[in-house]
Amino acid sequence: MVRLLSRVASLDPPSPPALADRLTDWIDWPRGVALYTALDASPDPATGAYFDAAVDDECVRARAGLEARVAESRACTPPKPTADKLPDGTAFRKHYVSLQRDIQVVTGRLRGRLRDMLAAAGMTRLAEVDAVMERVLSPRELTLLSRVPDILQAHFERLGSANASPAWVDGFRRDMQEALQAELDVRFQPIEGLLAALRTSTQKTP
């Protein structure tokens, strides 16, 4: 996503900062204390509830549904420009923001459900760590991701100003689709991690 947005914004990709510097940007000391407390907690005993394959299927279906909607971004069509007006990227922006919101809602719901299953399987500490990480990182993450529609709209306007042929719109659609897919991948990373932990708990259960 960083490489894509750097390209569409005509910027050089930033050099990765030191890990410690990056962590201090994202996690202040109160949130650091909350994370330490979650990491230091003792796990509760299992209650007899373990991984249900149905939730795995639910996650697969949810992702497939969102990916299908991302693919539909190719069909998003802007109003035709006139002689005295450049192409308008508002339709693309609305589409992106709407799907961005839906991705957030769906992944947030799945993540919460998987945490409940972790706690029921006796992995309370992992569930709490993930909950704290979500509280710690989500505000910064949301702030950064909310800028993506602005970056893409500016990209749309630059392309519209520099190209007389409408063929450039297809290229923009691909860029928008790639950005949405990259955001979807980012959102599903914690879900994949929680699912992997639940599968491991099932394999270890006699």
Side-chain angles (χ1 to χ4, degrees):
M1 173 169 269
V2 171
R3 289 193 295 270
L4 170 66
L5 295 178
S6 297
R7 176 175 62 79
V8 301
S10 300
L11 299 173
D12 293 328
S15 300
L19 177 59
D21 293 338
R22 175 58 67 195
L23 288 175
T24 56
D25 287 342
W26 282 69
I27 304 177
D28 56 20
W29 72 265
R31 293 184 173 88
V33 170
L35 181 57
Y36 172 80
T37 301
L39 288 168
D40 197 47
S42 299
D44 293 337
T47 61
Y50 293 96
F51 182 62
D52 181 356
V55 75
D56 201 348
D57 294 338
E58 181 182 353
C59 291
V60 170
R61 288 195 303 271
R63 179 161 189 158
L66 290 170
E67 287 182 337
R69 293 187 58 196
V70 168
E72 291 172 0
S73 301
R74 294 287 185 98
C76 188
T77 304
K80 292 183 179 181
T82 61
D84 58 347
K85 188 177 181 180
L86 293 174
D88 185 0
T90 303
F92 286 115
R93 179 187 176 85
K94 289 181 177 179
H95 176 81
Y96 194 100
V97 170
S98 175
L99 188 46
Q100 190 178 50
R101 186 183 304 114
D102 290 345
I103 291 172
Q104 178 186 350
V105 170
V106 170
T107 55
R109 176 179 55 80
L110 290 173
R111 195 170 176 180
R113 182 175 178 189
L114 291 172
R115 282 199 297 263
D116 291 341
M117 293 182 69
L118 281 170
M123 292 183 283
T124 308
R125 180 168 58 180
L126 179 56
E128 180 59 26
V129 167
D130 183 71
V132 173
M133 289 295 289
E134 186 174 22
R135 291 197 299 270
V136 167
L137 300 180
S138 286
R140 178 69 178 258
E141 185 179 69
L142 288 172
T143 297
L144 293 174
L145 291 175
S146 68
R147 299 175 185 171
V148 177
D150 293 331
I151 294 173
L152 288 173
Q153 184 161 9
H155 178 48
F156 180 94
E157 292 170 356
R158 281 194 300 272
L159 290 173
S161 299
N163 295 276
S165 169
W168 63 269
V169 177
D170 289 334
F172 176 82
R173 288 194 184 97
R174 286 193 297 272
D175 291 337
M176 184 175 70
Q177 183 178 357
E178 288 179 16
L180 283 167
Q181 183 62 52
E183 183 166 338
L184 183 62
D185 292 341
V186 169
R187 294 285 193 185
F188 264 87
Q189 284 179 349
I191 293 171
E192 293 297 334
L194 296 177
L195 280 170
L198 283 166
R199 294 188 192 106
T200 301
S201 73
T202 301
Q203 293 168 2
K204 293 181 178 179
T205 303

